[in-house]
């Protein structure tokens, strides 16, 4: 027994010595310090800048720039479009979204159309060298001194002549926090009319609290929203005329039959009673 123990001790000594010699002769690798910032491990991981950039949300480099919006918890593309006064499809196209139904918190979306040409929107043409035999140029008509060209058409867009979308009694008035439009009573199946000429930018039930919803874009300034419908009678990208029947009243996602009607100016809810004709 004693001899066997001594022999075993010798074997252990040889193994330890070999391991030490092997360690001394092996190549030492230069490794970056590892930190793991996850909870529970007590360690933190330091990532190189390239890895950190790769983990940033899409479009992060445009955060805070005019014309861009950073996605917040609870956002949907439909909600962002309504709040920005734009079509959700347009935002998806401007932002290069592969899947419009998938956006993530921190992602930065373009919410205004890209400007063609230069950053300022002014496209310049190169000046060509005059020929040896110049041709007399036709003089341009003189600009009228008393009629300067209007800078923007926004003032004209504000002059929409609105109509009431339904004829019922107003159940709840406008409140910026609690009710961003008018709640108007009626009976199930009653016609809902377009309040002005426009283009359909949304039809569906994807916005919580609105039920079956239609959103019309009237120009670069105004949107209108028609919620809680029973039946939707138009399709996205369709043009509609003022007074056209676009839906039938209902109580989808509501406690009673009613139309919730909003007017949005540059995405901000405004009191429809200030725009609709007196009755």
């Amino acid at each position: 027994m004693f001899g066997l123990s001594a022999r075993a001790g010798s074997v252990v000594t040889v193994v330890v010595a070999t391991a030490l010699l092997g360690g001394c002769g092996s190549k030492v690798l230069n490794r970056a310090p590892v930190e793991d910032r996850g909870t529970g491990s007590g360690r933190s991981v330091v990532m190189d800048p390239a890895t950190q950039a790769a983990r940033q949300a899409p479009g992060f480099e445009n955060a805070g720039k005019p014309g861009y919006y950073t996605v917040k918890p609870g956002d949907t593309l439909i909600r962002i479009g309504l709040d920005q006064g734009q079509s959700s499809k347009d935002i998806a196209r401007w932002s290069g979204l592969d899947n419009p139904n998938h956006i993530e918190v921190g992602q930065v979306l373009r919410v205004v159309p890209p400007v063609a040409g230069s950053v300022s929107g002014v496209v310049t043409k190169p000046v060509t060298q005059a020929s040896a035999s110049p041709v007399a140029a036709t003089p341009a008509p003189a600009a009228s001194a008393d009629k300067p060209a209007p800078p923007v058409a926004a003032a004209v867009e504000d002059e929409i002549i609105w109509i009431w979308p339904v004829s019922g009694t107003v159940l709840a008035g406008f409140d910026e926090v609690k009710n961003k439009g008018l709640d108007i009573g009626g009976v199930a199946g009653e016609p809902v009319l377009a309040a002005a000429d426009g283009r359909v930018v949304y039809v569906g039930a994807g916005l919580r609290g609105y039920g079956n919803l239609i959103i019309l874009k009237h120009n670069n300034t105004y949107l209108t929203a028609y919620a809680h419908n029973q039946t939707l009678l138009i399709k996205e990208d369709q043009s509609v005329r003022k007074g056209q029947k676009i839906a039938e009243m209902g109580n989808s996602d509501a406690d009673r039959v009613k139309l919730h009607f909003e007017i949005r100016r540059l995405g901000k809810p405004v009191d429809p009673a200030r725009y609709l004709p007196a009755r």
Side-chain angles (χ1 to χ4, degrees), residues 18 25 29 54 74 76 86 98 104 118 129 140 143 181-182 185-186 189 211 214 221 229 250 267:
T18 303
L29 298 177
T76 65
Q86 302 289 2
D98 294 330
E104 58 184 275
S118 64
Q129 187 175 1
L182 299 179
I214 291 173
T221 304
N229 299 290

Side-chain angles (χ1 to χ4, degrees), residues 46-270:
V46 176
M47 293 184 292
D48 60 271
T51 304
Q52 288 179 336
R55 293 193 177 186
Q56 294 281 3
F60 71 94
E61 67 278 3
N62 294 316
K65 293 182 182 178
Y68 290 87
Y69 174 83
T70 302
V71 178
K72 299 177 177 62
D75 275 345
T76 65
L77 204 58
I78 302 166
R79 167 68 71 182
I80 294 170
L82 185 61
D83 290 345
Q84 297 296 324
Q86 302 289 2
S87 160
S88 58
K89 284 188 174 180
D90 286 341
I91 293 176
R93 187 175 71 255
W94 299 335
S95 303
L97 298 183
D98 294 330
N99 182 0
N101 296 319
H102 176 72
I103 55 176
E104 58 184 275
V105 174
Q107 184 171 359
V108 181
L109 305 174
R110 177 185 277 276
V111 292
V112 298
V115 179
S118 64
V119 176
S120 62
V122 179
V123 179
T124 59
K125 295 182 179 180
V127 178
T128 57
Q129 187 175 1
S131 61
S133 302
V135 178
T138 304
S144 173
D146 56 346
K147 288 187 178 181
V152 187
V156 176
E157 291 180 344
D158 286 349
E159 297 177 1
I160 292 178
I161 306 300
W162 304 92
I163 64 169
W164 285 80
V166 290
S167 58
T169 302
V170 174
L171 305 174
F174 175 80
D175 184 288
E176 272 190 51
V177 178
K178 298 179 180 179
N179 195 38
K180 300 181 186 299
L182 299 179
D183 288 349
I184 309 170
V187 296
E190 182 178 341
V192 175
L193 311 179
D197 294 350
R199 178 173 65 92
V200 184
V201 296
Y202 180 74
V203 175
L207 196 56
R208 181 178 298 177
Y210 283 77
N212 294 326
L213 171 68
I214 291 173
I215 301 175
L216 302 182
K217 185 176 178 70
H218 302 283
N219 48 43
N220 290 330
T221 304
Y222 288 106
L223 293 178
T224 51
Y226 309 75
H228 305 310
N229 299 290
Q230 171 180 280
T231 309
L232 305 174
L233 303 175
I234 52 179
K235 298 179 180 179
E236 290 184 11
D237 296 324
Q238 179 180 338
S239 294
V240 297
R241 305 296 295 177
K242 178 167 64 176
Q244 179 177 337
K245 182 179 177 179
I246 59 175
E248 294 178 349
M249 285 185 70
N251 62 346
S252 56
D253 210 358
D255 56 356
R256 59 168 296 171
V257 174
K258 62 182 177 181
L259 174 72
H260 175 76
F261 175 67
E262 295 184 8
I263 296 180
R264 299 258 179 156
R265 187 178 190 280
L266 299 175
K268 180 181 179 181
V270 293

